[in-house]
Amino acid sequence: MTKYLSMFIIIAISLLSASSLAKPTALIGFGLNPGELSASYFQGAKDNKNLIVLLHGCAQQGQVLAQQTGLMALADKKQFSLLIPQQSQDNNIQGCFNWFSSQDIEQNQGESLSIKNMITSVNAVHHFNKIYIIGLSAGGAMASSMLVNYPQLFTAGAIIAGIPYPCAHNLTTAIACMRSGPSQDPEQLTQLVHQINSSTNHWPKLSIWTGSQDTVVNPKNSQQLAIHWAELTQSSKQPIISKHPGYKVSQWQGQNKQVNVELIEIENMGHGIAVAPQKVDGGSEAPFVINTSISTVLYLLEAWEL
């Protein structure tokens, strides 16, 4: 009898913990929305001035991705704020952000402007000290455009299984980027970015993630993006490389010896974001949410000191 009572107490506590986990609420009234996106928002503690923006991949729900990766549980535990823009099938039949459409990715247009307005609207109320953006796949490609077009908004970003901006401007060039990597070399990408934001001298720190067996988005995209961003941030020519069980980290440092750019390449991983279910808040496996020896979200929160 005592054994079953103990089991009942454990189950009850587990259910109570799950039900007490805060959930994002719909974000409304964030200004112009030319991209016709929606969003949900979780407000952390008033004295926690950190915001993370999460951009989902194709055929994904942002809130579900936040739960699967452990990001929602960690926002609740650490009490930082979380903004989750959401694409609809009305805009894209696959539910992808339109990262290859000029009208959606150029400055102050379309989906890009909608996401910017979401960020600025919550920031106007809560006055965040640091804003971060994480994007997966199509969300990673959209995060690339956000970091280039609005660098002043962000402290740092993470592009996971994504693509450099500007790599594509229509569906044909998008497919070419995905299959073969960018047609531009890193120096050309840097020149294009300088043309887009010629007066900018602040570029956010960037963490780039790829699986060595990604057959959806060629890992060359991540590798070229890392070299390009190192040039953009005037970082070291050669990275410092460290090898770990199951993955390799290459880091480019600035003059202050701080890491401006890093590339994390995960062995034998396909297209998706890495989770480590064996770790506390390490996430859970799902389509494009891949069980590995490292959790992307846990790694980023430690690196960003959240």
Side-chain angles (χ1 to χ4, degrees):
M1 183 70 177
T2 303
K3 175 183 176 182
Y4 292 116
L5 180 61
S6 299
M7 289 177 63
F8 175 79
I9 292 172
I10 291 171
I11 292 170
I13 292 173
S14 299
L15 290 173
L16 181 61
S17 298
S19 63
S20 64
L21 182 65
K23 294 181 179 180
T25 57
L27 180 69
I28 56 175
F30 52 83
L32 293 176
N33 185 18
E36 299 181 343
L37 303 177
S38 59
S40 52
Y41 178 66
F42 168 74
Q43 175 60 48
K46 289 183 179 180
D47 60 349
N48 190 321
K49 296 299 183 179
N50 297 294
L51 170 68
I52 292 182
V53 182
L54 176 66
L55 300 182
H56 64 80
C58 297
Q60 290 183 321
Q61 294 295 311
Q63 285 196 45
V64 174
L65 181 64
Q67 293 167 357
Q68 292 168 340
T69 58
L71 185 59
M72 189 66 248
L74 286 160
D76 189 52
K77 179 184 291 185
K78 295 178 176 289
Q79 283 294 292
F80 56 80
S81 297
L82 184 59
L83 173 64
I84 310 174
Q86 180 64 49
Q87 180 61 285
S88 71
Q89 288 187 317
D90 291 337
N91 290 340
N92 183 293
I93 192 64
Q94 299 296 328
C96 313
F97 290 107
N98 286 303
W99 60 272
F100 50 83
S101 168
S102 297
Q103 66 185 18
D104 282 305
I105 56 178
E106 293 182 358
Q107 284 182 352
N108 298 319
Q109 293 192 54
E111 293 175 12
S112 170
L113 180 56
S114 294
I115 296 169
K116 176 192 175 187
N117 287 343
M118 293 172 187
I119 296 169
T120 55
S121 69
V122 296
N123 192 37
V125 176
H126 302 290
H127 307 291
F128 297 106
N129 292 331
K130 296 180 179 180
I131 300 175
Y132 305 89
I133 188 166
I134 300 172
L136 168 63
S137 190
M142 183 61 80
S144 290
S145 72
M146 295 299 295
L147 290 164
V148 168
N149 286 316
Y150 315 108
Q152 70 281 359
L153 283 180
F154 302 104
T155 304
I159 296 173
I160 303 151
I163 287 173
Y165 175 84
C167 183
H169 54 84
N170 56 39
L171 189 57
T172 301
T173 52
I175 293 171
C177 287
M178 291 171 64
R179 288 179 176 173
S180 305
S183 60
Q184 310 93 337
D185 63 31
E187 288 185 1
Q188 290 171 326
L189 287 169
T190 301
Q191 290 171 2
L192 287 169
V193 169
H194 279 309
Q195 291 172 14
I196 293 167
N197 253 321
S198 58
S199 61
T200 298
N201 53 21
H202 160 77
W203 297 102
K205 297 179 180 180
L206 187 59
S207 185
I208 305 160
W209 295 68
T210 185
S212 66
Q213 302 300 314
D214 191 336
T215 58
V216 177
V217 173
N218 193 315
K220 288 181 181 178
N221 285 285
S222 294
Q223 294 157 359
Q224 296 289 78
L225 173 58
I227 297 169
H228 149 55
W229 209 262
E231 290 181 355
L232 191 66
T233 54
Q234 298 181 334
S235 301
S236 54
K237 296 287 186 183
Q238 296 298 324
I240 297 172
I241 299 175
S242 58
K243 295 184 178 180
H244 308 266
Y247 64 98
K248 179 178 75 172
V249 180
S250 303
Q251 296 181 322
W252 288 259
Q253 295 182 340
Q255 293 180 351
N256 55 8
K257 300 301 181 182
Q258 291 187 342
V259 176
N260 287 336
V261 187
E262 63 179 359
L263 172 64
I264 295 89
E265 298 170 281
I266 304 177
E267 298 172 5
N268 303 315
M269 189 178 94
H271 186 69
I273 186 170
V275 292
Q278 70 277 13
K279 298 181 180 180
V280 176
D281 297 320
S284 56
E285 190 172 9
F288 307 111
V289 182
I290 302 172
N291 187 349
T292 73
S293 60
I294 183 174
S295 157
T296 297
V297 167
L298 286 176
Y299 180 99
L300 290 173
L301 295 191
E302 182 179 355
W304 293 342
E305 299 181 344
L306 295 185

